[in-house]
Amino acid sequence: DVKVTQSSRYLVKRTGEKVFLECVQDMDHENMFWYRQDPGLGLRLIYFSYDVKMKEKGDIPEGYSVSREKKERFSLILESASTNQTSMYLCASSGRVTTGELFFGEGSRLTVL
Amino acid sequence: QKEVEQDPGPLSVPEGAIVSLNCTYSNSAFQYFMWYRQYSRKGPELLMYTYSSGNKEDGRFTAQVDKSSKYISLFIRDSQPSDSATYLCASSNQAGTALIFGKGTTLSVSS
């Protein structure tokens, strides 16, 4: 069974803290994505990666960075968390030869106080 | 203008009703169309997938794509309380690339 695992389901951080959100997939997928989901705004793409050590900005990259050192792992980094980054963060992956389906993790609910 | 528009609802129906969920899109290059279902506090999971135009049926669910009008639809027949979830339409122009999502429609089916 395909699986995308996000390490933390719920996090509470303080303004200014550095936050790491980890995502691991076991499907040998080349492509990985980070979205955030907010009420009334839907899913918005933050960053994505089509290969190890490669990254591309999505629609809302400001305040975020990413790291992809290994094929199976894609990390989202908030260098200095702010209250407007309180959100649900969703990681997804897909294969290069694919129907286009993205496989999602369960999500990480981040609250920044 | 967002590339995929979806009425967020909420939509409340009685058990057994036929539900129609709709999206419009603006990018003519979109070829891949999907419907995801998301239960509360869970990640989205693929419900229906359609490539280019046409209909696709899977049990009580039917997905339709009309590229001439840039319209995406999901029909649920004999709706059940277990169908209560948020439904997200999504599109892309190339397999494997990031999907563009609508805002999602929250559906509640009462028994």
Side-chain angles (χ1 to χ4, degrees):
Chain A
D1 211 11
V2 298
K3 202 155 179 73
V4 177
T5 302
Q6 295 184 230
S7 55
S8 303
R9 291 296 309 278
Y10 301 95
L11 304 94
V12 179
K13 298 292 182 181
R14 299 218 173 265
T15 302
E17 280 192 81
K18 190 168 186 175
V19 182
F20 292 87
L21 299 179
E22 305 285 341
C23 175
V24 177
Q25 49 94 3
D26 65 1
M27 297 165 280
D28 200 33
H29 281 168
E30 289 80 9
N31 311 318
M32 297 189 75
F33 309 85
W34 276 105
Y35 288 85
R36 64 177 282 178
Q37 185 176 29
D38 301 286
L41 297 176
L43 274 78
R44 293 179 292 165
L45 182 64
I46 305 172
Y47 266 97
F48 57 101
S49 169
Y50 290 146
D51 205 345
V52 176
K53 295 193 185 296
M54 293 183 66
K55 60 184 179 184
E56 298 285 343
K57 293 181 179 179
D59 299 319
I60 52 164
E62 297 79 17
Y64 303 95
S65 62
V66 290
S67 172
R68 190 151 182 218
E69 297 296 318
K70 293 185 177 182
K71 188 177 184 180
E72 68 271 16
R73 188 180 297 270
F74 193 35
S75 302
L76 181 68
I77 303 155
L78 288 67
E79 293 288 343
S80 178
S82 62
T83 55
N84 62 12
Q85 292 178 310
T86 292
S87 186
M88 168 71 91
Y89 290 88
L90 290 161
C91 176
S93 71
S94 72
R96 184 161 293 140
V97 179
T98 177
T99 60
E101 176 183 2
L102 297 190
F103 295 87
F104 281 89
E106 295 280 84
S108 297
R109 166 73 62 184
L110 172 66
T111 301
V112 183
L113 303 175
Chain B
Q1 180 191 3
K2 199 175 189 314
E3 290 192 281
V4 178
E5 300 281 355
Q6 182 177 8
D7 184 348
L11 185 62
S12 294
V13 301
E15 184 175 356
I18 296 174
V19 176
S20 172
L21 303 171
N22 305 293
C23 293
T24 58
Y25 65 95
S26 57
N27 189 338
S28 299
F30 284 162
Q31 295 280 1
Y32 299 87
F33 303 94
M34 296 170 208
W35 284 95
Y36 279 79
R37 179 174 59 194
Q38 185 177 22
Y39 290 114
S40 181
R41 290 183 289 277
K42 296 285 190 179
E45 55 182 357
L46 184 69
L47 184 63
M48 298 288 285
Y49 158 82
T50 308
Y51 174 72
S52 193
S53 272
N55 294 0
K56 188 168 185 178
E57 189 171 321
D58 184 3
R60 298 183 294 109
F61 299 88
T62 300
Q64 287 185 353
V65 177
D66 182 347
K67 294 194 75 179
S68 62
S69 59
K70 298 189 178 68
Y71 208 75
I72 312 165
S73 301
L74 178 71
F75 299 96
I76 307 174
R77 291 183 298 280
D78 187 25
S79 56
Q80 302 294 308
S82 58
D83 295 328
S84 298
T86 297
Y87 291 82
L88 301 149
C89 59
S91 302
S92 73
N93 60 345
Q94 188 176 346
T97 61
L99 290 172
I100 308 299
F101 284 86
K103 292 181 180 181
T105 301
T106 300
L107 171 68
S108 176
V109 181
S110 56
S111 57

